[in-house]
Amino acid sequence: MLNAYIGYSIMKRNLTEAVEYSNIMQTAHSILRVADDDLGTFETRFSNMANYVRQIGVETKFTAIEVAGAVKYLSMAGMGVSTIMESIRPITNLALIGDNDIAEIADLATNIMAGYNIKSSSMGSVADILASTVSRSNVNIVEVAESYKMAAGYLKLSGVDFTEASAAIGILGNAGMKGTMAGTALRAMSTRFAKPTKEAQKTMDRLGVKFTQFVDVYGKKVEKLKPLADIFQELNEKGATLADMQSIFCKFGGNASMMFLNNYATLRVLTAQNATSPGIAGELALVT
């Protein structure tokens, strides 16, 4: 009698999970089908993706239902079937590294990419840069996402590379400035990178410092923002004080910029590590 009850309970639970999984994937199916540009092969491609979702549910600690929830977020973010197939495992790796909810990580990762205007097919590279940052500094994925929520668009428009921006968030995290606090500071600094105020320019002229340099792009000289580590190394070597940094970056941004002034070498190293760590998200996920 007891064995029969246990068997019935297991069967009921499995049925409930199957229904929940089916409902989530059906929602994703409806969203994806509307925007798909090749309906003739859509069902086959979607079926392959669904099989991959179940495979991840077997290979990792996440259930197929949890992975399907992430797929739904990605479809809502405008990704197509092929891009989701490329993105779901990197997102799973990030969730494993941080021991986070996989659907939450899907949401945060796509928000970061949207804010930085990174194409959706680059999820693997983004996951590696984020994994490199959190494994080498005192921040986690959620804190990095909170920082980017405040600063991503400003950093992008001012010309800061994503690998540098992530390293900068890590450096601030090492100093205890995390989440929205770090993001607000970076946003303040980014506005000055893009267009220094008269007061900021006066201080920079006195120090003999410029944020930009001319680089060769397809045979043409283009003015671009210098690497962040170069900017802060130059400021350090010119003897910039806290008052100078506050004059250039405003009070809040100036206080945070002192972390870079004093740690520009670490910023340079972390930026280089972020740029040369393909596959690190998958490697770290294996040992979690």
Side-chain angles (χ1 to χ4, degrees):
M1 186 74 176
L2 179 59
N3 288 338
Y5 175 77
I6 293 174
Y8 171 76
S9 298
I10 293 174
M11 182 177 66
K12 182 179 179 181
R13 184 187 63 194
N14 290 342
L15 179 61
T16 300
E17 292 176 351
V19 170
E20 185 176 358
Y21 170 81
S22 178
N23 287 340
I24 295 172
M25 291 300 287
Q26 185 58 48
T27 299
H29 180 280
S30 299
I31 296 170
L32 290 167
R33 197 176 192 284
V34 169
D36 197 84
D37 57 3
D38 185 8
L39 294 181
T41 65
F42 175 78
E43 296 300 336
T44 299
R45 288 183 286 113
F46 186 87
S47 178
N48 291 337
M49 183 186 70
N51 289 334
Y52 190 41
V53 167
R54 285 191 287 267
Q55 180 184 334
I56 294 173
V58 172
E59 294 176 348
T60 70
K61 71 175 185 178
F62 297 112
T63 66
I65 293 173
E66 291 172 315
V67 182
V71 167
K72 185 178 75 171
Y73 269 107
L74 297 180
S75 63
M76 292 168 64
M79 288 189 182
V81 175
S82 298
T83 306
I84 292 175
M85 281 280 284
E86 297 172 359
S87 302
I88 192 61
R89 189 65 202 227
I91 286 172
T92 303
N93 291 337
L94 281 178
L96 288 168
I97 292 167
D99 195 24
N100 299 109
D101 176 79
I102 186 172
E104 177 188 23
I105 294 301
D107 188 27
L108 295 177
T110 51
N111 288 344
I112 290 172
M113 293 172 70
Y116 228 93
N117 196 27
I118 299 172
K119 58 184 180 180
S120 57
S121 59
S122 296
M123 181 65 76
S125 296
V126 169
D128 285 333
I129 292 168
L130 295 178
S132 172
T133 299
V134 302
S135 67
R136 292 166 168 142
S137 54
N138 189 23
V139 289
N140 60 43
I141 296 294
V142 175
E143 289 166 343
V144 172
E146 284 295 309
S147 296
Y148 271 126
K149 182 170 69 175
M150 302 298 296
Y154 295 87
L155 288 164
K156 173 68 175 179
L157 289 173
S158 66
V160 180
D161 186 80
F162 184 69
T163 55
E164 290 185 294
S166 299
I169 290 171
I171 296 297
L172 292 180
N174 290 343
M177 295 186 68
K178 303 182 181 184
T180 55
M181 182 181 293
T184 301
L186 288 170
R187 182 175 66 185
M189 294 167 64
S190 297
T191 60
R192 303 302 173 87
F193 288 143
K195 187 176 182 181
T197 63
K198 289 183 179 179
E199 179 186 0
Q201 191 62 58
K202 183 178 179 180
T203 302
M204 291 166 62
D205 290 342
R206 175 172 55 79
L207 292 170
V209 172
K210 287 191 67 176
F211 286 154
T212 59
Q213 62 185 355
F214 284 94
V215 297
D216 187 79
V217 179
Y218 300 115
K220 293 183 178 180
K221 293 295 183 181
V222 178
E223 190 172 15
K224 297 185 66 176
L225 186 73
K226 294 177 181 177
L228 295 185
D230 289 357
I231 290 173
F232 289 103
Q233 179 177 357
E234 188 175 0
L235 285 165
N236 180 288
E237 292 174 348
K238 292 300 178 70
T241 64
L242 174 59
D244 291 331
M245 301 303 275
Q246 289 179 337
S247 172
I248 295 171
F249 295 113
C250 81
K251 184 175 182 180
F252 191 66
N255 292 344
S257 69
M258 290 300 292
M259 302 302 114
F260 304 128
L261 188 77
N262 297 323
N263 297 281
Y264 64 83
T266 305
L267 175 61
R268 191 187 309 281
V269 170
L270 183 52
T271 299
Q273 289 171 329
N274 285 352
T276 57
S277 295
I280 191 174
E283 294 172 10
L284 292 174
L286 291 175
V287 297
T288 56

